[in-house]
Amino acid sequence: MTQIPPSSFQNTPIKASNVIGKDVVNSMQENLGDIKELMLDPVSGKIAYAVLSFGGFLGLGEKLFAVPFSALTYSHVNDEYVLDVSKEILSKAPGFDSSNWPTMATEEWNRDIYKYYEKRPYWEI
């Protein structure tokens, strides 16, 4: 039996704590914030969203956004995630503040988020 070297596995699982706090930039390397939380589907085990913080100063005035995890691409070179949207597009996205999270259990809310980022919903994949 041939053993596969560990470095050849492309989808090495990582801890959620290694994702939380990672910087998020756009394709022009503009800082879009950082990942504050990961939202998991408890039935499928899939990551539904990354909660991204954007704006504000020292945590004040920041806005949170639920971004489909499939909209993020990991950059091994810079150890960050890339979201291919401009700051303007992100600032107009449906968002919320840290003391007023939306009811994420509604299908309409979920579909609206995936539609905004033009991604196929994770539950349909």
Side-chain angles (χ1 to χ4, degrees):
M1 186 161 125
T2 305
Q3 289 189 348
I4 299 172
S7 62
S8 62
F9 184 57
Q10 296 298 314
N11 297 319
T12 304
I14 60 172
K15 298 184 296 184
S17 60
N18 288 349
V19 176
I20 295 170
K22 287 288 182 207
D23 290 334
V24 177
V25 298
N26 62 19
S27 57
M28 297 179 298
Q29 288 296 301
E30 294 176 313
N31 184 2
L32 297 179
D34 64 291
I35 297 173
K36 292 293 187 194
E37 195 65 71
L38 295 176
M39 305 303 291
L40 306 174
D41 179 318
V43 176
S44 71
K46 294 179 180 179
I47 299 174
Y49 309 99
V51 176
L52 174 67
S53 70
F54 176 69
F57 180 71
L58 298 175
L60 299 173
E62 74 181 359
K63 192 172 177 183
L64 300 176
F65 300 91
V67 176
F69 199 69
S70 60
L72 298 168
T73 304
Y74 181 69
S75 168
H76 290 280
V77 174
N78 297 319
D79 191 27
E80 63 193 7
Y81 284 88
V82 178
L83 177 61
D84 195 18
V85 299
S86 67
K87 285 184 173 185
E88 181 181 358
I89 297 291
L90 182 60
S91 69
K92 293 179 182 177
F96 52 99
D97 64 58
S98 61
S99 62
N100 191 21
W101 283 56
T103 303
M104 295 179 175
T106 65
E107 185 174 343
E108 180 181 11
W109 186 88
N110 283 277
R111 286 198 184 282
D112 288 348
I113 293 299
Y114 276 82
K115 184 177 179 180
Y116 187 83
Y117 292 98
E118 299 178 351
K119 293 294 177 184
R120 187 172 172 199
Y122 73 92
W123 61 90
E124 293 179 355
I125 299 172

